[in-house]
């Protein structure tokens, strides 16, 4: 693992670290929600699909953190997918605040900014992790 991290450019190591730390923090946050509220911790969301998704983040967040920590390309794509779903679910589940009290939506700002960060850097980070050999037209698939 040390070789994988060491082989990355400095910017990629920073981004991987931010991904790992943030998904670990997200794991802790969702575990704390489940400890406080049990399986119905997200009952404030009327859609059962959103409730199930937020509970599933107890598995998806640490999986993304581990895969990113291992410098796996799959982790980058999982992180991107999780953040697209997470940001979308949060905005959809809290859309009533758009009319009732738009200032309440400010608490969605950190997760939205992090989601944009993850998605915006997914392709460059994937390319960095894949290495220069995988970008050459004569490169063979790696095992």
């Amino acid at each position: 693992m040390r070789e994988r991290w060491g082989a990355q450019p400095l910017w990629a190591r920073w981004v991987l670290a931010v991904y790992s730390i943030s998904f670990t923090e997200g794991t802790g946050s969702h575990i704390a929600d489940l400890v406080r509220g049990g399986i119905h911790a997200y009952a404030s969301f009327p859609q059962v699909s959103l409730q199930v998704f937020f509970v599933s983040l107890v598995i998806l967040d640490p999986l993304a953190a581990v895969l990113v920590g291992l410098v796996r390309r799959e982790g980058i794509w999982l992180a991107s997918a999780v953040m697209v779903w997470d940001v979308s679910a949060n905005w959809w589940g809290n859309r009533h605040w758009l009319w009732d009290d738009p200032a309440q939506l400010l608490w969605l700002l950190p997760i939205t900014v992090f989601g944009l960060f993850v998605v915006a850097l997914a392709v460059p980070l994937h390319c960095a992790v894949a290495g220069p050999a995988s970008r050459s037209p004569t490169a063979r698939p790696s095992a």
Side-chain angles (χ1 to χ4, degrees), residues 27-89:
T27 300
S29 175
H30 291 290
I31 288 172
D33 288 346
L34 289 176
V35 167
R36 279 191 303 269
I39 196 71
H40 301 291
Y42 301 103
S44 63
F45 292 97
Q47 302 87 354
V48 173
S49 58
L50 293 183
Q51 295 173 29
V52 170
F53 170 71
F54 287 122
V55 170
S56 77
L57 289 174
V58 171
I59 303 297
L60 294 173
D61 278 354
L63 181 59
V66 167
L67 290 173
V68 166
L70 294 172
V71 192
R72 302 287 306 189
R73 290 176 286 180
E74 298 86 354
I76 296 165
W77 296 118
L78 177 60
S80 297
V82 166
M83 288 314 300
V84 166
W85 296 333
D86 199 353
V87 170
S88 299

Side-chain angles (χ1 to χ4, degrees), residues 9 18-19 24 26 29 34 43 45 52 70 75 80 89 93 107 109 113 115 132-133 139 142:
V18 169
Y19 275 31
T24 301
S29 175
L34 289 176
F45 292 97
V52 170
L70 294 172
S80 297
W107 75 270
L109 189 58
V113 170
S142 61

